[in-house]
Amino acid sequence: MRTQVAIIGGGPSGLLLAQLLHTRGIESVVLERKTKDYVLSRIRAGVLERGMLQLMDEAGCSDRMRAENYSHDGTYISYGEESFRIDFVVLTGHPVMVYGQTEVTRDLYDAREKTGGPIEFNVDDVVINGADGDTPYITYTVDGQPRRIDCDFVAGCDGFHGVSRQTIPLSVRREYEKVYPFGWLGILSETPPVNHELVYSNSNRGFALCSMRNEQLSRHYIQCSLSDSPDDWTDAAFWEELKRRIPTKFADALVTGPSVEKSIAPLRSFVTEPMRWGRLFLCGDAAHIVPPTGAKGLNTAASDVQYLYNGLRQFYESGSSEGIDGYSAKALLRVWKTERFSWWFSSLLHRYPDQSEFDIRIQVAELEFLRSNEAAQRAMAENYVGLPY
Ligand code: RFL
Ligand code: PHB
């Protein structure tokens, strides 16, 4: 088989890139290791920047997102019994959007199926060959049968555990990493949200977050130990712990119910440089990871996709390689700013095992500064609603 762009990974980055390229008549093949049902069962992002909505518009996939998303004009931050609101619209002119990654991915799969663009599921043994030359090709197997795709370019959209990043030789690749000494235990429940906007909470017992997907579906997280397993936590124990970590006014309003999903995610900050090697380009979690505090992972993947789409479009439409040549530097500039924000917001809200009483006082002082200082709130809000592309 031959295509213009071979896309490794059928998560949101890969699918969005495929649909954007399709609008310009650029062919692609998407290779996904899992099944579609498996990809759609992963509960992840909930808060999206407007840049993501604009890209979904451009890809022709935004009808349901426009109709069903919940626009949030601000967020609440609490510490102990104190809480305050940051008004994104007043401070930046922009809201954020609550619309689950599962729904984004479903919309992108529907669009891909409508346009008849090829996706291969259940692929194994993917190898990217010749990316440092002019004629790259991918070899892989499906049900043990060998396959090959020849292409002009390879987009590595295969997440943190994919093969694309590993294809870049260690002599070229530099990796920067920070692993946090805790995880997030998350549950999804068919219960109304505790508040009309998200509540991020710093408490003596650790971080908590009250989020949602819609008026009848809530998403909650608590900081947990890395040695915990979801089975260690009954639903009753989760709700009890959550109530102890949020101010009484929210705890009293909390409606509890059985969880429909429960999982633990470790927290990590990670960046690989460069994001391009020859004709291979990394996008999204394949190149970088942020801790989920601040909801930046999928949003940063979307900005990578936009830069790469524009570069490839320029190449195919005018023959200029300026956009693809500048891709890595341009993407990394925004990636590092997002890494900084996610690291800062994580540091502000979590309990660290080695934190001293002094460190905790500094955290409270910073929260009080944020509460009372408009410039600090504006800086937070500009990052949260999304830095410009
Ligand atoms: P994905 O979603 O990991 O998709 C990669 C796909 O590649 C496939 N794959 C392969 N395919 C072929 N061959 C191989 N060798 C392959 N290896 C892997 C995988 O099966 C998969 O389908 O990466 P992508 O597309 O870059 O998307 C990134 C986002 O998924 C991620 O950044 C976000 O989910 C992060 N995130 C959040 N981001 C936000 O912007 N807002 C949020 O509110 C938010 N909340 C979250 C989050 C992530 C979380 N977890 C679980 C890490 C909340 C949580 C709890
Ligand atoms: C979510 O709803 O899953 C969510 C919201 C905000 C975050 C992280 C996750 O910062």
Side-chain angles (χ1 to χ4, degrees), residues 13 23 28 48 60 81 83 117 120 123 142 164 227 238 244 254 257 272 299 316 319 324 326 340 345 360:
S13 305
T23 64
S28 65
L48 302 177
E81 284 297 324
S83 70
E120 289 239 48
V123 303
V142 178
S164 300
S227 58
F238 180 93
R244 297 173 78 172
L254 187 71
T272 194
N299 291 305
Y316 283 111
I324 52 178
R340 187 211 64 84
F345 204 36
I360 292 171

Side-chain angles (χ1 to χ4, degrees), residues 44-47 184 198 200 209 211-213 219 221 292-295 384:
R44 288 186 172 178
V47 177
W184 277 20
L198 272 65
Y200 287 90
L209 169 61
S211 180
M212 73 280 291
R213 292 293 175 269
R219 181 72 169 155
Y221 298 95
T293 337
Y384 199 96

Side-chain angles (χ1 to χ4, degrees), residues 65-291:
M65 188 183 255
R66 285 212 167 265
E68 294 180 13
N69 88 78
Y70 288 78
S71 180
H72 280 199
D73 292 353
T75 195
Y76 285 78
I77 296 182
S78 72
Y79 52 110
E81 284 297 324
E82 303 292 325
S83 70
F84 62 97
R85 179 169 181 269
I86 296 190
D87 192 319
F88 302 144
V89 172
V90 166
L91 292 160
T92 72
H94 303 293
V96 291
M97 180 176 59
V98 169
Y99 191 75
Q101 177 167 334
T102 313
E103 306 311 315
V104 175
T105 313
R106 194 188 303 281
D107 294 344
L108 288 166
Y109 272 125
D110 287 351
R112 185 78 180 159
E113 281 158 17
K114 253 188 225 144
T115 56
I119 308 187
E120 289 239 48
F121 291 101
N122 290 316
V123 303
D124 271 320
D125 311 316
V126 172
V127 179
I128 302 166
N129 304 274
D132 52 342
D134 289 337
T135 51
Y137 63 97
I138 314 294
T139 53
Y140 59 102
T141 60
V142 178
D143 293 333
Q145 299 299 311
R147 307 258 171 103
R148 170 174 170 145
I149 299 179
D150 290 274
C151 55
D152 300 332
F153 298 103
V154 183
C157 303
D158 49 354
F160 185 66
H161 301 287
V163 296
S164 300
R165 186 176 67 253
Q166 313 293 345
T167 303
I168 303 180
L170 281 171
S171 55
V172 175
R173 182 163 34 114
R174 286 209 62 184
E175 296 185 341
Y176 303 85
E177 183 173 50
K178 179 175 177 65
V179 176
Y180 297 77
F182 40 74
W184 277 20
L185 169 65
I187 69 166
L188 191 68
S189 61
E190 286 163 350
T191 54
V194 66
N195 186 47
H196 67 291
E197 290 169 342
L198 272 65
V199 181
Y200 287 90
S201 186
N202 172 316
S203 98
N204 279 335
R205 301 181 65 87
F207 169 79
L209 169 61
C210 305
S211 180
M212 73 280 291
R213 292 293 175 269
N214 60 46
E215 275 152 22
Q216 283 311 320
L217 197 57
S218 292
R219 181 72 169 155
H220 291 99
Y221 298 95
I222 54 174
Q223 174 183 348
C224 67
S225 162
L226 282 172
S227 58
D228 285 1
S229 121
D231 298 336
D232 299 339
W233 286 86
T234 61
D235 290 350
F238 180 93
W239 292 119
E240 193 47 42
E241 186 59 33
L242 177 65
K243 280 185 185 169
R244 297 173 78 172
R245 295 187 187 191
I246 54 180
T248 312
K249 66 173 178 185
F250 293 124
D252 287 349
L254 187 71
V255 179
T256 63
S259 62
V260 290
E261 193 266 355
K262 194 185 285 169
S263 52
I264 291 183
L267 268 69
R268 183 191 303 272
S269 299
F270 175 88
V271 181
T272 194
E273 294 185 355
M275 285 172 60
R276 175 213 185 163
W277 182 60
R279 287 179 173 249
L280 167 65
F281 298 85
L282 303 180
C283 278
D285 280 16
H288 42 75
I289 295 288
V290 286

